[in-house]
Amino acid sequence: MSTTASEALFARAKQVSPGGVNSPVRAFRAVGGTPRFMASGAGAWLTDADGNRFVDLVGSWGPMLLGHAHPEVIEAVTAAAARGTSFGTPAEPEVLLAEEIVDRTPVERVRMVSSGTEATMSAIRLARGFTGRDKIVKFSGCYHGHVDALLAEAGSGVVTLGIPGTPGVPAHVTADTIVLPFNDPAAVDVAFAEYGDQIACVITEAAAGNMGVVPPAPGFNAHLARTCAAHGALFISDEVMTGFRAARRGHWDLDGAVEGWQPDLMTFGKVMGGGFPAAAFGGRADVMDLLAPIGPVYQAGTLSGNPVATTAGLTTLRLATPEVYERLAATSTQVQALVTGALTEAGVQHVVQTAGTMFSVFWGVTEPVTDFAGAQAQDTGAYTAFFHAMLDAGVYLPPSAYESWFVSAAHDPEVDSAPLSRLAEALPVAARAAAAAAR
Ligand SMILES: *Cc1c(COP(=O)(O)O)cnc(C)c1O
């Protein structure tokens, strides 16, 4: 497989952009080698600058629920762009998209932004404004975008007062961030016993997808909702990845809707932008109405609710019918079965974990992974070997063992379909490569 064009572009990119990329994981540093510069996508397939074709199991990190360049999305977006790309005024598409989100989820009001980072940042500000409190609780291994206060990483012990996870975040900015182990209700109780009247909110990924897929233990999210309510704090469920992806109404469909609880605030992104920069936060009307222009909590954006981006999101969600989610689930199950079959055959220890239609593989582990420490115990060397063998065979996987895999409605669940037979052909060699590299 020639990579000449990607190599040339990467060399030029490194001259003008840090690391040659605009978002770090894209640079392939975790797995080594040259990132593929993609030139086009159609359905389940990506084509790189050298003309190599790949079955895509990344889906732009989640947004491409319907596959690449879905004809109806492209048509709607083209028509919207022809009517004008930004007005800086309210417009109909953002109302329609907000109505769709309110219809599917427990949120009563929605404010649009342009990225998931902005959504979580704004939700935290609103929670602090509403409660008049400063402390926030997050869980280690959960990613909420590159918000300063949320980059605080895990320490050990039950309650770790935040340590900046990156240079450039002053210690005082994370001093009010309490980082707890994921899936540990006792740690939450200890934190609330100590700081209950100072905690503005708990933010969690509805199901963790940024340390590999680590679903919440049954009742964990319910415990967070209940604990927040008991202490006058707000419960923020970050569904930027899981929203309209894990299931039709997001991960909440799988726990809150069944168990009868609701988050106070939710954040969305990825799928709801349909491949464009659109994201949102929403929630209880009494909390959301504290935002400017009704209330004093300031939040704004030049391109927020952009008509082209919201048209892409709206068209995507309208096409994402219950049948589409059934198809996604069937494809996801089929891909898991193929992968696990090949790895087992080659003798590679692994655990496949799911959150609705999202899934990922943990390498070299024997027990289910329930938290960040467990995720970090995996054998990333085995994945690196597997990743490169799959890439060479024309299957595009996330260039890190700590990421979720995504299928789209354009991936046929049938094993003899073109994408899945490409996968099935690639797997035995890649599984043997993983076995050879396993520690
Ligand atoms: C991707 C992601 C974000 C950040 O969204 P961006 O659009 O990349 O800023 C926030 N939270 C979760 C759970 C995510 O997966």
Side-chain angles (χ1 to χ4, degrees):
M1 173 179 298
S2 167
T3 56
T4 323
S6 280
E7 275 161 34
L9 282 169
F10 194 39
R12 280 169 55 197
K14 283 193 278 198
Q15 297 301 314
V16 289
S17 298
V21 291
N22 287 302
S23 197
V25 201
R26 296 180 194 169
F28 273 29
R29 297 198 62 135
V31 290
T34 306
R36 300 303 192 271
F37 282 63
M38 295 304 173
S40 64
W45 299 86
L46 285 172
T47 304
D48 73 9
D50 291 280
N52 304 307
R53 268 166 51 86
F54 302 88
V55 174
D56 182 20
L57 292 177
V58 181
S60 187
W61 306 92
M64 308 320 295
L65 189 84
L66 303 175
H68 295 283
H70 188 286
E72 286 175 65
V73 177
I74 298 304
E75 194 187 299
V77 161
T78 309
R83 289 191 294 269
T85 54
S86 183
F87 309 125
T89 70
E92 188 179 24
E94 65 201 289
V95 183
L96 299 176
L97 180 55
E99 285 170 349
E100 177 78 24
I101 293 172
V102 167
D103 190 47
R104 285 201 195 200
T105 70
V107 307
E108 296 173 317
R109 299 266 194 284
V110 181
R111 171 65 57 89
M112 306 273 174
V113 292
S114 299
S115 72
T117 296
E118 250 187 289
T120 59
M121 179 187 83
S122 307
I124 296 273
R125 180 183 305 148
L126 179 57
R128 284 172 160 162
F130 182 80
T131 57
R133 302 171 179 179
D134 289 342
K135 290 197 189 302
I136 60 178
V137 172
K138 78 167 288 272
F139 298 96
S140 55
C142 282
Y143 177 68
H144 303 289
H146 61 98
V147 180
D148 279 356
L150 296 174
L151 283 173
E153 287 211 287
S156 55
V158 179
V159 177
T160 304
L161 285 175
I163 297 154
T166 169
V169 178
H172 71 86
V173 173
T174 50
D176 286 319
T177 304
I178 300 169
V179 184
L180 302 176
F182 190 64
N183 269 334
D184 188 343
V188 175
D189 293 345
V190 170
F192 271 89
E194 178 92 21
Y195 302 110
D197 59 350
Q198 300 172 50
I199 295 173
C201 61
V202 171
I203 184 167
T204 185
E205 285 187 61
N210 286 290
M211 52 173 144
V213 173
V214 181
F220 180 65
N221 284 339
H223 183 75
L224 299 181
R226 213 167 35 235
T227 307
C228 285
H231 290 86
L234 298 186
F235 176 40
I236 305 176
S237 183
D238 181 355
E239 293 237 26
V240 170
M241 182 184 285
T242 53
F244 320 113
R245 163 60 76 172
R248 187 171 175 274
R249 298 188 292 173
H251 191 272
W252 177 80
D253 220 353
L254 308 175
D255 54 13
V258 181
E259 297 162 2
W261 53 265
Q262 302 184 350
D264 299 296
L265 293 174
M266 298 177 86
T267 52
F268 306 104
K270 298 196 168 98
V271 171
M272 68 151 279
F276 279 76
F281 62 107
R284 276 165 47 187
D286 63 324
V287 179
M288 291 298 291
D289 285 350
L290 216 66
L291 285 173
I294 312 179
V297 177
Y298 195 71
Q299 190 284 329
T302 302
L303 294 177
S304 296
N306 173 271
V308 182
T310 50
T311 296
L314 177 68
T315 311
T316 298
L317 290 186
R318 283 188 173 164
L319 291 167
T321 57
E323 296 70 45
V324 161
Y325 288 93
E326 274 167 34
R327 185 179 168 85
L328 289 166
T331 308
S332 173
T333 306
Q334 188 59 259
V335 171
Q336 291 166 42
L338 289 170
V339 171
T340 230
L343 292 180
T344 305
E345 173 82 28
V348 179
Q349 292 276 19
H350 70 284
V351 171
V352 176
Q353 297 197 171
T354 63
T357 73
M358 290 161 39
F359 63 100
S360 78
V361 181
F362 288 94
W363 302 81
V365 302
T366 49
E367 297 296 318
V369 171
T370 58
D371 61 12
F372 193 37
Q376 285 178 305
Q378 67 174 321
D379 180 2
T380 53
Y383 181 65
T384 296
F386 180 83
F387 167 84
H388 279 292
M390 294 298 279
L391 189 68
D392 288 344
V395 179
Y396 193 76
L397 296 173
S400 158
Y402 293 97
E403 302 289 351
S404 175
W405 300 18
F406 298 100
V407 295
S408 81
H411 294 70
D412 206 301
E414 308 306 323
V415 249
D416 57 359
S417 66
L420 261 55
S421 33
R422 167 79 64 102
L423 185 76
E425 274 162 38
L427 277 167
V429 176
R432 284 197 292 277
R439 64 174 178 228

